[in-house]
């Protein structure tokens, strides 16, 4: 994840290069380091270096890294002739490279030649079954074709081997949520919380899924994870504060207020509501009447 400091540095460099202040290579290097997607800028500034023999030769071995970076950016921007030219240069320089082979398969993808791309990826995986990048390309290709069930299958198979890949678990969870397969999504978020228990985003997403599933047990657990999100964010997560209020209201309706635990929970709802009101007064005072009405309706319904 890119920090605010890194994003500020990247934007500063981008503005500098765009305004003719130099530093194109530093900008492109930072884009690679942070793994951000700024394809149009990479294509523009990368080509300006590659098309200048003096600048290109000054890069040394990094010249080939830039060719690869520009090729991927060109595919992203559908400048397929540029991508093809860059890939050809790399193939000539590295005739037996599997990495260039992956670029060629990606070019098939960009052209919509799905069968050729799949054949190329399958061949590369025969040589190296543990190539994570290629496994992920197959998932992306299935999603691009609208074959969501195939994407799910590929992700599950991938996670059997690479169980510690948090991004893959999160992507699988988001696909399940989009298909309203909430129990499966909940399992994915449980895996993420087990491996990264201090990431508030996972606690919040898990709570959302449990709240959507409904039922007393799920609602009670959802409230706990909304509370842990608030704890992990220092009380500054608006969505989690709303989640506390919604869960408490729903639980009270189901238990008719008979549970001692839920009577205590109403105090938590009251605290969450006060924090929300304070936050809205500071950041969105014009929305405060709507918030007050919404909170009052939750109190009345419970």
């Amino acid at each position: 994840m890119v920090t605010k400091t890194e994003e500020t540095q990247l934007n500063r460099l981008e503005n500098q290069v765009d305004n003719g202040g130099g530093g194109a290579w530093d900008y492109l290097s930072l884009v690679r380091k942070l793994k951000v997607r700024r394809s149009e800028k990479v294509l523009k500034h990368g080509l300006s270096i590659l098309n200048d023999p003096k600048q290109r030769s000054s890069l040394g071995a990094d010249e080939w890294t830039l060719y690869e970076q520009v090729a991927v950016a060109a595919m992203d921007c559908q400048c397929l002739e540029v991508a093809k030219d860059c890939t050809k240069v790399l193939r000539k320089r590295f005739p037996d490279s599997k990495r260039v082979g992956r670029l060629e398969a990606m070019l098939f993808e960009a052209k919509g030649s799905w069968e050729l791309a799949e054949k190329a990826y399958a061949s590369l995986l025969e040589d190296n079954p543990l190539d994570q990048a290629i496994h992920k390309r197959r998932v992306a290709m299935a999603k691009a074709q609208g074959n969501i069930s195939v994407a799910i299958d590929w992700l599950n198979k991938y996670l059997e081997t690479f169980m510690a890949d948090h991004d893959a678990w999160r992507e699988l969870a988001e696909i399940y949520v989009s298909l309203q397969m909430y129990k499966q999504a909940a399992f994915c978020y449980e895996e993420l919380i087990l491996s990264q228990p201090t990431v508030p985003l996972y606690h919040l997403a898990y709570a959302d899924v449990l709240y959507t599933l409904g039922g007393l047990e799920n609602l009670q657990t959802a409230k706990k994870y909304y509370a842990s999100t608030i704890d992990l964010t220092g009380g500054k997560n608006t969505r989690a504060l709303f989640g506390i209020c919604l869960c408490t209201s729903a639980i009270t309706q189901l238990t008719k207020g008979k549970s001692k635990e839920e009577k205590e929970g109403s105090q938590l709802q009251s605290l969450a509501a006060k924090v929300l009101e304070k936050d809205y007064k500071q950041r969105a005072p014009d929305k405060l009447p709507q918030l007050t009405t919404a909170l009052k309706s939750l109190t009345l319904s419970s």
Side-chain angles (χ1 to χ4, degrees), residues 169-221:
W169 279 113
R170 184 177 173 186
E171 182 174 5
L172 183 57
E174 289 173 355
I175 291 175
Y176 280 139
V177 168
S178 73
L179 298 175
Q180 300 182 19
M181 299 171 69
Y182 298 115
K183 290 183 179 179
Q184 291 85 341
F187 175 79
C188 295
Y189 286 122
E190 287 166 2
E191 290 290 327
L192 284 166
I193 291 169
L194 282 171
S195 60
Q196 291 188 302
T198 59
V199 178
L201 176 65
Y202 301 152
H203 289 247
L204 180 62
Y206 184 49
D208 284 343
V209 168
L210 292 175
Y211 177 79
T212 304
L213 280 169
L216 183 58
E217 185 177 346
N218 285 328
L219 288 168
Q220 289 172 331
T221 306

Side-chain angles (χ1 to χ4, degrees), residues 49-63:
I49 295 175
L50 292 177
N51 291 333
D52 184 328
K54 187 176 180 180
Q55 286 192 68
R56 189 175 69 242
S57 61
S58 70
L59 297 178
D62 285 331
E63 173 186 348

